[in-house]
Amino acid sequence: MRLGLHPGGFAPRLRNLGQVRAYLLPRLARQVAQSGDPELSALYEELLSYGPAGDPPPPDPADIALPIRIRHHGAELCFINTITTFGAAFDVTLEEIAVEAYFPADDDTARFFRTEAAAPSA
């Protein structure tokens, strides 16, 4: 999250930075509240400082996946981001496992990666 939202990191490439912040920061705030972890709390405060003052608006509850739009080598690519978390009443350690996945959200993005994968590396 630090690299993704930092102004000197990935953030300048994000075409929908506000939407990404609005999706990720409330999720991190919930993790801080549930865990009480001081390192997560410090990370949350740090990430808040990278953007406009105040908490970002909450995401639309109907949103089940986050579109991420980035600029890369002159192309605008769009991905759908999903985060799957696991949990079971009998195993608290599962609550800490999350799998994050990115999928091409449109034909142009899928075509870009098929073309890049087929290109010989330098």
Side-chain angles (χ1 to χ4, degrees):
M1 284 186 169
R2 180 176 288 122
L3 180 61
L5 297 178
H6 194 282
F10 195 72
R13 293 177 148 203
L14 287 169
R15 306 286 293 169
N16 61 333
L17 178 59
Q19 185 180 18
V20 170
R21 283 177 48 84
Y23 188 86
L24 293 179
L25 290 178
R27 186 175 136 247
L28 181 57
R30 283 190 303 277
Q31 288 176 315
V32 168
Q34 289 171 349
S35 70
D37 185 326
E39 288 184 38
L40 283 182
S41 181
L43 175 62
Y44 179 73
E45 293 302 321
E46 177 185 339
L47 296 178
L48 281 179
S49 75
Y50 295 161
D55 290 334
D60 184 334
D63 291 343
I64 60 168
L66 170 65
I68 297 179
R69 300 182 194 297
I70 64 168
R71 282 186 309 268
H72 179 69
H73 293 285
E76 184 168 324
L77 306 174
C78 185
F79 301 90
I80 295 296
N81 167 272
T82 61
I83 300 170
T84 304
T85 56
F86 299 87
F90 56 87
D91 192 350
V92 238
T93 59
L94 285 177
E95 291 178 12
E96 297 177 9
I97 297 175
V99 176
E100 191 166 2
Y102 295 82
F103 301 97
D106 57 33
D107 290 337
D108 290 338
T109 301
R111 189 175 312 108
F112 178 87
F113 282 98
R114 282 193 302 272
T115 303
E116 288 295 310
S121 53

